Tab-separated table of all heavy atoms in Angstrom:
chain	number	residue	atom	x	y	z
P	49	MET	N	6.741	83.548	-1.038
P	49	MET	CA	6.863	82.771	-2.275
P	49	MET	C	5.837	81.656	-2.293
P	49	MET	O	5.563	81.025	-1.273
P	49	MET	CB	8.259	82.156	-2.391
P	49	MET	CG	9.382	83.170	-2.367
P	49	MET	SD	10.982	82.384	-2.589
P	49	MET	CE	11.105	82.436	-4.372
P	51	PHE	N	5.142	78.126	-4.510
P	51	PHE	CA	5.682	77.214	-5.530
P	51	PHE	C	4.610	76.208	-5.935
P	51	PHE	O	4.036	75.551	-5.062
P	51	PHE	CB	6.878	76.423	-4.979
P	51	PHE	CG	8.137	77.222	-4.818
P	51	PHE	CD1	8.329	78.028	-3.705
P	51	PHE	CD2	9.151	77.153	-5.779
P	51	PHE	CE1	9.509	78.753	-3.549
P	51	PHE	CE2	10.330	77.875	-5.633
P	51	PHE	CZ	10.514	78.687	-4.520
P	53	LEU	N	4.867	72.985	-7.556
P	53	LEU	CA	5.995	72.124	-7.947
P	53	LEU	C	5.590	71.127	-9.016
P	53	LEU	O	4.627	70.366	-8.849
P	53	LEU	CB	6.543	71.402	-6.716
P	53	LEU	CG	7.215	72.329	-5.703
P	53	LEU	CD1	7.416	71.621	-4.363
P	53	LEU	CD2	8.558	72.840	-6.244
P	58	THR	N	7.731	74.404	-13.091
P	58	THR	CA	7.352	74.845	-11.752
P	58	THR	C	7.077	76.341	-11.800
P	58	THR	O	7.917	77.118	-12.265
P	58	THR	CB	8.463	74.510	-10.740
P	58	THR	OG1	8.465	73.097	-10.520
P	58	THR	CG2	8.245	75.223	-9.413
P	60	VAL	N	6.528	79.830	-9.960
P	60	VAL	CA	6.958	80.465	-8.712
P	60	VAL	C	6.378	81.874	-8.668
P	60	VAL	O	6.666	82.700	-9.547
P	60	VAL	CB	8.496	80.550	-8.628
P	60	VAL	CG1	8.920	81.100	-7.266
P	60	VAL	CG2	9.140	79.198	-8.892
P	135	GLY	N	20.047	76.099	-8.229
P	135	GLY	CA	18.653	76.507	-8.318
P	135	GLY	C	17.768	75.331	-7.924
P	135	GLY	O	18.151	74.516	-7.067
P	136	LEU	N	16.606	75.201	-8.566
P	136	LEU	CA	15.668	74.113	-8.249
P	136	LEU	C	15.885	72.963	-9.226
P	136	LEU	O	15.865	73.166	-10.428
P	136	LEU	CB	14.234	74.658	-8.377
P	136	LEU	CG	13.077	73.685	-8.097
P	136	LEU	CD1	13.080	73.191	-6.660
P	136	LEU	CD2	11.742	74.354	-8.433
P	137	TYR	N	16.109	71.757	-8.692
P	137	TYR	CA	16.350	70.616	-9.580
P	137	TYR	C	15.720	69.349	-9.021
P	137	TYR	O	15.232	69.335	-7.884
P	137	TYR	CB	17.858	70.439	-9.838
P	137	TYR	CG	18.678	70.050	-8.629
P	137	TYR	CD1	18.962	68.701	-8.351
P	137	TYR	CD2	19.207	71.007	-7.770
P	137	TYR	CE1	19.741	68.338	-7.267
P	137	TYR	CE2	19.977	70.644	-6.672
P	137	TYR	CZ	20.238	69.312	-6.428
P	137	TYR	OH	21.009	68.955	-5.349
P	143	PHE	N	12.389	66.962	-5.355
P	143	PHE	CA	12.876	68.329	-5.604
P	143	PHE	C	13.873	68.770	-4.523
P	143	PHE	O	13.650	68.531	-3.335
P	143	PHE	CB	11.712	69.332	-5.550
P	143	PHE	CG	10.757	69.225	-6.697
P	143	PHE	CD1	9.582	68.500	-6.573
P	143	PHE	CD2	11.027	69.863	-7.901
P	143	PHE	CE1	8.693	68.404	-7.628
P	143	PHE	CE2	10.140	69.777	-8.965
P	143	PHE	CZ	8.975	69.050	-8.826
P	144	PHE	N	14.915	69.450	-4.984
P	144	PHE	CA	15.898	70.042	-4.065
P	144	PHE	C	16.319	71.398	-4.619
P	144	PHE	O	16.169	71.664	-5.813
P	144	PHE	CB	17.148	69.157	-3.947
P	144	PHE	CG	16.860	67.810	-3.360
P	144	PHE	CD1	16.495	66.750	-4.169
P	144	PHE	CD2	16.943	67.617	-1.996
P	144	PHE	CE1	16.210	65.503	-3.628
P	144	PHE	CE2	16.664	66.370	-1.438
P	144	PHE	CZ	16.300	65.311	-2.258
P	145	THR	N	16.902	72.214	-3.740
P	145	THR	CA	17.481	73.467	-4.227
P	145	THR	C	18.932	73.559	-3.773
P	145	THR	O	19.342	72.968	-2.769
P	145	THR	CB	16.761	74.696	-3.630
P	145	THR	OG1	16.759	74.573	-2.203
P	145	THR	CG2	15.359	74.835	-4.161
P	146	GLN	N	19.708	74.322	-4.530
P	146	GLN	CA	21.031	74.748	-4.086
P	146	GLN	C	21.179	76.192	-4.536
P	146	GLN	O	21.169	76.471	-5.741
P	146	GLN	CB	22.140	73.886	-4.683
P	146	GLN	CG	23.549	74.429	-4.434
P	146	GLN	CD	23.869	74.613	-2.946
P	146	GLN	OE1	23.453	73.830	-2.104
P	146	GLN	NE2	24.600	75.677	-2.623
P	147	CYS	N	21.283	77.113	-3.604
P	147	CYS	CA	21.307	78.522	-3.979
P	147	CYS	C	22.660	79.198	-3.797
P	147	CYS	O	22.930	80.212	-4.453
P	147	CYS	CB	20.223	79.284	-3.227
P	147	CYS	SG	18.581	78.791	-3.784
P	155	ILE	N	15.577	80.757	-9.686
P	155	ILE	CA	14.235	80.478	-9.169
P	155	ILE	C	13.326	81.674	-9.414
P	155	ILE	O	12.183	81.542	-9.838
P	155	ILE	CB	14.311	80.117	-7.667
P	155	ILE	CG1	15.096	78.807	-7.499
P	155	ILE	CG2	12.921	79.991	-7.067
P	155	ILE	CD1	15.390	78.419	-6.070
P	170	VAL	N	7.154	80.847	2.850
P	170	VAL	CA	7.141	80.038	1.633
P	170	VAL	C	5.985	79.052	1.657
P	170	VAL	O	5.807	78.320	2.633
P	170	VAL	CB	8.482	79.259	1.507
P	170	VAL	CG1	8.454	78.324	0.313
P	170	VAL	CG2	9.639	80.234	1.402
P	171	MET	N	5.172	79.060	0.599
P	171	MET	CA	4.123	78.049	0.480
P	171	MET	C	4.493	77.093	-0.654
P	171	MET	O	4.781	77.512	-1.771
P	171	MET	CB	2.760	78.673	0.180
P	171	MET	CG	1.682	77.601	0.057
P	171	MET	SD	0.101	78.204	-0.506
P	171	MET	CE	-0.708	78.555	1.034
P	172	LEU	N	4.493	75.789	-0.324
P	172	LEU	CA	4.786	74.776	-1.337
P	172	LEU	C	3.493	74.040	-1.652
P	172	LEU	O	2.750	73.668	-0.734
P	172	LEU	CB	5.830	73.781	-0.805
P	172	LEU	CG	7.147	74.387	-0.300
P	172	LEU	CD1	8.039	73.295	0.296
P	172	LEU	CD2	7.871	75.095	-1.439
P	182	LEU	N	6.956	68.128	2.248
P	182	LEU	CA	7.219	69.478	1.727
P	182	LEU	C	7.977	70.277	2.793
P	182	LEU	O	7.421	70.568	3.856
P	182	LEU	CB	5.899	70.185	1.403
P	182	LEU	CG	4.937	69.486	0.426
P	182	LEU	CD1	3.602	70.229	0.352
P	182	LEU	CD2	5.566	69.372	-0.966
P	183	LEU	N	9.221	70.634	2.525
P	183	LEU	CA	10.050	71.305	3.532
P	183	LEU	C	10.638	72.609	3.004
P	183	LEU	O	10.964	72.733	1.835
P	183	LEU	CB	11.231	70.403	3.943
P	183	LEU	CG	10.938	68.963	4.344
P	183	LEU	CD1	12.253	68.213	4.568
P	183	LEU	CD2	10.073	68.920	5.602
P	184	SER	N	10.767	73.577	3.918
P	184	SER	CA	11.520	74.789	3.595
P	184	SER	C	12.156	75.309	4.888
P	184	SER	O	12.110	74.645	5.927
P	184	SER	CB	10.613	75.824	2.922
P	184	SER	OG	11.385	76.886	2.392
P	185	ASN	N	12.752	76.502	4.840
P	185	ASN	CA	13.471	77.001	6.012
P	185	ASN	C	12.523	77.388	7.147
P	185	ASN	O	11.425	77.871	6.910
P	185	ASN	CB	14.261	78.271	5.668
P	185	ASN	CG	15.010	78.183	4.370
P	185	ASN	OD1	14.469	78.441	3.314
P	185	ASN	ND2	16.283	77.828	4.438
P	213	LEU	N	20.750	81.382	1.266
P	213	LEU	CA	20.408	80.410	2.311
P	213	LEU	C	18.986	79.880	2.179
P	213	LEU	O	18.515	79.112	3.012
P	213	LEU	CB	20.588	81.042	3.698
P	213	LEU	CG	22.039	81.302	4.104
P	213	LEU	CD1	22.096	82.047	5.440
P	213	LEU	CD2	22.813	79.982	4.208
P	214	PHE	N	18.299	80.284	1.113
P	214	PHE	CA	16.950	79.758	0.871
P	214	PHE	C	17.049	78.282	0.482
P	214	PHE	O	17.990	77.870	-0.204
P	214	PHE	CB	16.272	80.546	-0.264
P	214	PHE	CG	15.028	79.875	-0.770
P	214	PHE	CD1	13.825	80.063	-0.119
P	214	PHE	CD2	15.081	79.009	-1.862
P	214	PHE	CE1	12.674	79.403	-0.556
P	214	PHE	CE2	13.932	78.347	-2.292
P	214	PHE	CZ	12.725	78.549	-1.642
P	215	ALA	N	16.053	77.492	0.894
P	215	ALA	CA	16.011	76.089	0.454
P	215	ALA	C	14.596	75.553	0.474
P	215	ALA	O	13.758	75.986	1.273
P	215	ALA	CB	16.881	75.221	1.363
P	216	LEU	N	14.351	74.617	-0.417
P	216	LEU	CA	13.140	73.802	-0.313
P	216	LEU	C	13.484	72.378	-0.721
P	216	LEU	O	14.427	72.137	-1.485
P	216	LEU	CB	12.008	74.368	-1.184
P	216	LEU	CG	12.002	74.179	-2.703
P	216	LEU	CD1	11.561	72.791	-3.141
P	216	LEU	CD2	11.048	75.192	-3.320
P	217	VAL	N	12.699	71.458	-0.162
P	217	VAL	CA	12.831	70.039	-0.492
P	217	VAL	C	11.420	69.491	-0.587
P	217	VAL	O	10.577	69.829	0.237
P	217	VAL	CB	13.601	69.279	0.621
P	217	VAL	CG1	13.540	67.775	0.385
P	217	VAL	CG2	15.049	69.749	0.705
P	218	ALA	N	11.145	68.682	-1.611
P	218	ALA	CA	9.820	68.075	-1.708
P	218	ALA	C	9.956	66.695	-2.317
P	218	ALA	O	10.686	66.513	-3.287
P	218	ALA	CB	8.899	68.936	-2.576
P	280	VAL	N	18.770	67.027	5.247
P	280	VAL	CA	18.195	66.188	4.191
P	280	VAL	C	19.323	65.671	3.301
P	280	VAL	O	20.199	66.444	2.901
P	280	VAL	CB	17.206	66.977	3.299
P	280	VAL	CG1	16.485	66.038	2.345
P	280	VAL	CG2	16.202	67.741	4.144
P	292	ASN	N	21.800	75.862	4.451
P	292	ASN	CA	20.533	76.602	4.412
P	292	ASN	C	19.912	76.695	5.805
P	292	ASN	O	19.879	75.719	6.541
P	292	ASN	CB	19.547	75.886	3.494
P	292	ASN	CG	20.178	75.415	2.213
P	292	ASN	OD1	20.665	76.211	1.444
P	292	ASN	ND2	20.214	74.101	2.022
P	295	LEU	N	17.473	74.107	7.342
P	295	LEU	CA	17.222	73.016	6.393
P	295	LEU	C	18.516	72.714	5.624
P	295	LEU	O	18.672	73.067	4.463
P	295	LEU	CB	16.083	73.404	5.425
P	295	LEU	CG	15.666	72.377	4.366
P	295	LEU	CD1	15.212	71.068	4.995
P	295	LEU	CD2	14.561	72.925	3.471
P	297	ILE	N	21.059	70.839	3.476
P	297	ILE	CA	20.957	69.800	2.450
P	297	ILE	C	22.348	69.199	2.258
P	297	ILE	O	23.334	69.928	2.112
P	297	ILE	CB	20.387	70.362	1.137
P	297	ILE	CG1	18.953	70.877	1.395
P	297	ILE	CG2	20.381	69.293	0.045
P	297	ILE	CD1	18.249	71.448	0.172
Side-chain angles (χ1 to χ4, degrees):
M49 302 183 89
F51 287 81
L53 293 166
T58 288
V60 185
L136 180 63
Y137 66 94
F143 290 97
F144 297 89
T145 54
Q146 171 57 36
C147 292
I155 295 173
V170 175
M171 180 188 268
L172 305 176
L182 304 173
L183 310 174
S184 191
N185 315 85
L213 290 175
F214 167 84
L216 76 78
V217 171
V280 188
N292 316 299
L295 181 59
I297 298 181

